[in-house]
Amino acid sequence: MYFKPADIDHIALQMKQGGVGAFPCDTLMGLVGIVSRQSYDKMSIIKKRSKKPFLVLIPTLDHLENWVDSLTERQRKVVLSYWPGPVSFIFKKKKTVPDFVTCGYDTICIRFVEFLPLNYLLK
């Protein structure tokens, strides 16, 4: 699938305005939206589910620090052996992560994708 940067910029603008939609990910088509209560509620309606957290996608490893506390050296080695790629990890969430993101759980599921159009969109 081919995307022009202008197409992705248009999709990003729609997401910033509260839109959600389907976008190809590194493994399959997925629902995407910015991390907000409004987007979470829309995606929950589309997927017909409630009180179940969604996977958080990050475009670079640096974004991990926004979601989780510092990793141990061992955790970092494991993560780096699989990322970027189609592997999701469950971490203890950072206290500043809103509860709606994790549905009240103290853990969060994150994936650092390896798909250029999606990484561009996420940035």
Side-chain angles (χ1 to χ4, degrees):
M1 184 168 279
Y2 174 75
F3 286 97
K4 294 183 287 191
D7 296 336
I8 297 173
D9 289 341
H10 179 72
I11 294 167
L13 179 61
Q14 290 177 326
M15 287 171 49
K16 287 179 184 176
Q17 295 171 346
V20 299
F23 196 86
C25 296
D26 54 346
T27 56
L28 49 86
M29 290 293 285
L31 278 178
V32 294
I34 62 169
V35 178
S36 71
R37 184 64 198 214
Q38 180 183 18
S39 293
Y40 173 83
D41 290 344
K42 286 180 181 181
M43 287 193 278
S44 293
I45 290 168
I46 292 167
K47 294 205 59 133
K48 296 181 180 168
R49 70 185 205 190
S50 64
K51 297 190 179 174
K52 187 172 179 187
F54 291 100
L55 168 71
V56 174
L57 302 171
I58 58 174
T60 68
L61 195 57
D62 293 337
H63 285 82
L64 188 61
E65 69 186 40
N66 297 327
W67 302 101
V68 304
D69 289 323
S70 299
L71 301 180
T72 66
E73 190 56 38
R74 183 171 184 273
Q75 288 172 320
R76 184 168 288 287
K77 284 180 182 177
V78 171
V79 164
L80 290 174
S81 69
Y82 290 96
W83 278 357
V87 177
S88 302
F89 287 100
I90 298 174
F91 300 96
K92 185 160 177 72
K93 78 173 185 174
K94 198 173 209 174
K95 288 184 174 52
T96 56
V97 174
D99 279 343
F100 78 85
V101 173
T102 61
C103 295
Y105 294 104
D106 63 351
T107 56
I108 187 167
C109 187
I110 299 178
R111 181 183 298 174
F112 171 22
V113 297
E114 186 174 32
F115 182 59
L116 187 59
L118 182 59
N119 288 32
Y120 185 83
L121 176 65
L122 295 173
K123 287 180 185 175

